[in-house]
Amino acid sequence: MAEYKNQFQQLILDLKTNYIPSVSIDFVIFGFHDGQLKVLLLRWKGTDEWSLPGGRIRHEEDLQAAAYRSLNERTGLSEIFLQQFHTFGDVVRYINFSQQETLAKLGLPEDLASEVMGRDVSVGYYALVEFANVIPSPDFFTEECRWWDIDQIPPLLFDHNSMVTLALKTLRRQLSYQPIGYKLLPDKFTMPDLQQLYETILGQSLDRRNFQKRMLGYGILERLEERKTGGAHKAPYLYRFDKEKYQQALADETLFVG
């Protein structure tokens, strides 16, 4: 306990010296795997309590640069689709558990906890990552990173459940004009893979023929001569995104799937 308290004191000193006070960043990191949309959560040391990954902004560091740096520290990735979606600034940001309950659950030293548990304004980002490429890493406060299915997220600390809910709503709304597919799928994929991704995010079924016709009509997919192997039925063709055309379609806001 004494060693942890000393480390905690060093962390507080570092925060006061090198980071902007009272402003934090929180991340809803989405990954798509085995037909499920997942969110990366961190478990706090010595507890069964979970929260979203977060970060702080260094002095003379741009907000966006701080977000990418913090995400790299948590995921090991440098090229990540990142979208700011909301700023959380309620006076009371303890939803599932009160501040006192939170302190008790986390076992933070009471004489020091107020130094890092005071009121923060948090900038929320959502990120889209290829599940298989992520090497999750916990931070000082946490000891485990785990992917959770979007429908099985437990009660989280602070207001982080609300963050996940709003991030998913934003993702669904922006699905029509953001380059989501090539950040959540492998480089090569089938049309059913792509449709499954959209259906999972939207939470609804899409007509197969209409979906395929619309996606091919955008001119952003390149059909390969390869077919997916190992299935019981006729092997579907593999596709990949023409990223240059996709970026142009993104700039023109010509994408729409519904």
Side-chain angles (χ1 to χ4, degrees):
M1 183 63 181
E3 181 181 356
Y4 179 68
K5 188 170 182 178
N6 288 335
Q7 292 176 338
F8 198 82
Q9 288 173 321
Q10 289 298 318
L11 173 65
I12 292 171
L13 179 61
D14 181 47
L15 289 173
K16 287 184 174 181
T17 304
N18 299 312
Y19 294 84
I20 297 174
S22 302
V23 180
S24 61
I25 307 172
D26 285 296
F27 301 102
V28 181
I29 304 175
F30 292 112
F32 183 70
H33 184 65
D34 288 340
Q36 296 177 318
L37 188 66
K38 296 180 178 288
V39 174
L40 188 65
L41 300 178
L42 276 63
R43 182 174 59 80
W44 286 59
K45 290 179 180 177
T47 78
D48 293 322
E49 307 304 329
W50 297 84
S51 70
L52 294 170
R56 294 277 176 172
I57 308 164
R58 293 171 179 161
H59 292 299
E60 301 182 2
E61 183 180 39
D62 291 341
L63 173 60
Q64 196 81 343
Y68 278 109
R69 172 184 54 76
S70 297
L71 267 177
N72 177 258
E73 292 170 355
R74 298 285 74 77
T75 66
L77 302 179
S78 55
E79 294 186 8
I80 302 175
F81 179 88
L82 185 64
Q83 178 71 48
Q84 186 180 141
F85 69 94
H86 193 70
T87 300
F88 298 84
D90 287 355
V91 174
V92 178
R93 296 185 55 204
Y94 296 86
I95 305 301
N96 295 314
F97 315 104
S98 69
Q99 184 174 15
Q100 291 73 24
E101 290 173 325
T102 300
L103 291 175
K105 284 176 175 293
L106 301 183
L108 297 176
E110 292 186 11
D111 58 330
L112 298 175
S114 60
E115 299 281 357
V116 293
M117 298 288 283
R119 182 185 177 188
D120 266 352
V121 171
S122 180
V123 182
Y125 284 86
Y126 77 78
L128 306 176
V129 301
E130 164 55 60
F131 182 96
N133 294 336
V134 176
I135 305 175
S137 300
D139 58 19
F140 172 82
F141 295 104
T142 58
E143 60 184 354
E144 179 186 359
C145 301
R146 186 191 303 175
W147 290 101
W148 288 73
D149 186 278
I150 194 71
D151 296 322
Q152 298 177 356
I153 294 174
L156 303 178
L157 297 168
F158 317 114
D159 54 354
H160 289 185
N161 286 96
S162 299
M163 290 185 179
V164 174
T165 298
L166 185 55
L168 182 59
K169 287 182 179 179
T170 305
L171 173 60
R172 286 172 172 169
R173 186 170 63 248
Q174 295 181 344
L175 186 64
S176 62
Y177 59 88
Q178 298 288 17
I180 286 172
Y182 70 71
K183 293 296 183 180
L184 289 174
L185 291 172
D187 182 57
K188 299 177 183 180
F189 53 87
T190 65
M191 189 64 69
D193 292 335
L194 182 61
Q195 181 169 340
Q196 184 182 45
L197 169 63
Y198 274 74
E199 289 180 337
T200 300
I201 293 174
L202 292 171
Q204 65 183 52
S205 298
L206 300 171
D207 180 79
R208 181 183 62 83
R209 290 187 178 181
N210 288 340
F211 178 84
Q212 179 168 325
K213 180 179 179 181
R214 182 168 291 178
M215 293 304 299
L216 293 177
Y218 294 137
I220 59 176
L221 294 177
E222 176 187 357
R223 195 182 82 172
L224 307 177
E225 293 304 317
E226 305 172 57
R227 291 178 180 265
K228 185 175 182 179
T229 59
H233 304 286
K234 182 179 179 181
Y237 279 105
L238 291 171
Y239 290 82
R240 65 184 172 199
F241 285 107
D242 184 322
K243 296 185 180 180
E244 183 176 342
K245 291 181 178 178
Y246 206 151
Q247 289 295 341
Q248 186 59 52
L250 171 64
D252 296 340
E253 296 189 359
T254 57
L255 303 183
F256 180 78
V257 175

